[in-house]
Amino acid sequence: MQGKIIRGIGGFYYVDTDLPGVVECKAKGIFRNKKVKPLVGDNVEVKILDREKMLGSIEKILPRKNSIIRPAVANVDQAVVIFSASVPKPNLNLLDRFLLMMQTQGIATVICFNKKDDADEKYLAELADNYRGCGSRIFMTSTFTGEGIKEFGECLKNKTSVLAGPSGVGKSSIINRLFPEAGMKIGEISEKIKRGKHTTRHSELFSLGDGIYIMDTPGFTSLGLPNLEKEELRDYYPEFEEYKNSCKFLGCVHIHEPQCSVKIALDEGRIPKGRYDNYRQFFDEISNKRKY
C-alpha cells in the first residue's frame, strides 16, 4: 500500500494512506544500514502489520522530487509565505531572505499579503509593484471580507505546500476560512499520534483533501542567507534577467560597475528599489562573511 509520511518523531512515522486514519510505522532496518532517513513528505510503500491498531512497516521510500532541510520535508511543490499587509507591518528584508532560500533550492514560491481590508490602497500597490518581477505568484487576501481567499485556495490544490510567516499574520485564519473542517482532521491525526506522548517540536503535514498537503512552520523573526558566493547572488533575482547581458562587463554583479544595465533599469524605475536595496545588503553580508 502506498502513502505519504505526514509526521515523523522518535523513530515512528505516521503515514496517510487510503485507509481511514493514519498508519503508525517503523522503518525497516535496511534504511539505517544505507543511512537513508525517511522524511515527512516522502511517498512510501507500507506493509500493514495490524489493521485494527493501524500499525505498519515502511518497506520502500519512493524517489524524491526534492528535499529541504529547514523545515525537514521532501517532495515540496511550493513554499507559501504569508505576511500581513497592515499590522504587523511586513518585514520585506525577511521576505526576500525567504524567497532567496527557496530559490536556491529550486522550490517555487507564493507570496500572500493578508489583512488587505486594513491596509492603505497606496501601500498595497507599492507591495504589488515591488514584487511584480520576483518570480513568485502574489495574492492579496482578507479573512475579514473573504477577498482573495478563494483564489489563494486554488493555488494549493494537488500540491504539497510549506507555509511560513511571522506570528500574527493570519495563517491559521486563512486555513480555517478555506478548510472549516481542518481543525477536525488535524485533531483526529493528533489524537492518534498522542498515544506515543511525543511533545518535541517536529515537522508535520496536514492532509486537507483535493490533494492538498500543508506543512505549517513556526513563526519566524530571522533568517540567515543560504551558502552562496557573492557572484552567485545575482542569478536568483529574476528582475535582473533581461538586463544582465547588456552590462559593459561580463562578470558584472550590479553594484559599483560603470555602464551597468541593471542599475540603469533601477534608476528608470524598471527594477523595484526595495528589492534592489535588499540585494545590495545581502551582497555586502556575503562579502563580509567571506572575509572572516
Side-chain angles (χ1 to χ4, degrees):
M1 178 176 289
Q2 289 191 5
K4 184 183 286 288
I5 298 176
I6 58 173
R7 185 174 182 177
I9 188 167
F12 290 90
Y13 299 93
Y14 298 87
V15 181
D16 183 36
T17 68
D18 289 334
L19 296 174
V22 291
V23 183
E24 181 182 285
C25 298
K26 292 282 284 186
K28 290 184 69 173
I30 189 172
F31 299 122
R32 287 193 298 275
N33 296 337
K34 292 183 177 180
K35 296 183 179 180
V36 175
K37 183 178 181 181
L39 292 176
V40 170
D42 269 333
N43 296 309
V44 295
E45 290 183 359
V46 300
K47 180 179 180 180
I48 303 299
L49 303 177
D50 188 325
R51 188 172 288 256
E52 184 178 342
K53 294 183 179 179
M54 295 292 281
L55 300 178
S57 170
I58 294 176
E59 303 289 301
K60 183 179 181 181
I61 299 173
L62 300 180
R64 289 172 181 162
K65 176 167 58 178
N66 56 40
S67 63
I68 56 179
I69 298 172
R70 291 184 58 194
V73 63
N75 300 313
V76 176
D77 293 306
Q78 60 188 9
V80 181
V81 61
I82 301 176
F83 274 79
S84 166
S86 56
V87 178
K89 189 174 181 180
N91 181 337
L92 302 186
N93 185 281
L94 180 59
L95 172 52
D96 285 358
R97 288 172 187 269
F98 180 85
L99 296 181
L100 181 61
M101 184 70 71
M102 293 301 113
Q103 285 171 315
T104 58
Q105 298 179 78
I107 308 292
T109 51
V110 174
I111 302 171
C112 176
F113 290 110
N114 191 34
K115 302 185 181 181
K116 70 168 294 185
D117 58 286
D118 197 35
D120 178 74
E121 286 294 330
K122 181 180 178 183
Y123 185 59
L124 288 175
E126 289 175 358
L127 285 175
D129 183 64
N130 194 54
Y131 288 95
R132 68 182 184 271
C134 73
S136 303
R137 295 183 66 184
I138 301 173
F139 294 89
M140 301 280 186
T141 61
S142 167
T143 54
F144 182 72
T145 66
E147 191 174 357
I149 296 292
K150 182 179 179 182
E151 292 78 5
F152 174 68
E154 289 295 319
C155 87
L156 302 177
K157 289 185 177 179
N158 296 308
K159 286 184 169 58
T160 296
S161 304
V162 171
L163 261 62
S167 300
V169 299
K171 282 189 296 178
S172 298
S173 298
I174 290 176
I175 297 304
N176 289 336
R177 180 83 184 234
L178 280 169
F179 312 103
E181 73 285 2
M184 185 183 300
K185 289 193 176 186
I186 291 169
E188 289 172 358
I189 293 170
S190 297
E191 193 60 37
K192 164 72 177 177
I193 294 168
K194 200 183 298 178
R195 195 162 61 81
K197 297 182 174 60
H198 302 305
T199 56
T200 308
R201 184 69 205 185
H202 52 270
S203 298
E204 183 171 354
L205 282 177
F206 296 110
S207 174
L208 301 175
D210 283 333
I212 298 171
Y213 286 93
I214 286 178
M215 174 184 283
D216 189 13
T217 62
F220 62 92
T221 54
S222 63
L223 193 64
L225 294 175
N227 188 24
L228 287 174
E229 295 297 329
K230 61 182 185 296
E231 293 83 7
E232 296 176 302
L233 183 62
R234 61 189 173 184
D235 297 331
Y236 297 100
Y237 277 75
E239 296 95 332
F240 300 169
E241 192 65 30
E242 67 176 291
Y243 308 109
K244 66 180 185 181
N245 293 328
S246 302
C247 295
K248 180 178 180 180
F249 299 102
L250 186 63
C252 185
V253 293
H254 322 307
I255 301 292
H256 301 298
E257 299 90 338
Q259 298 181 43
C260 168
S261 294
V262 167
K263 289 193 293 180
I264 292 171
L266 173 70
D267 292 338
E268 294 177 352
R270 287 178 281 134
I271 289 177
K273 185 177 184 302
R275 282 279 288 166
Y276 180 80
D277 287 347
N278 283 335
Y279 167 78
R280 285 202 60 161
Q281 180 182 327
F282 299 162
F283 186 91
D284 290 342
E285 280 188 40
I286 296 171
S287 299
N288 292 331
K289 186 178 179 181
R290 293 292 183 267
K291 291 178 183 178
Y292 300 100

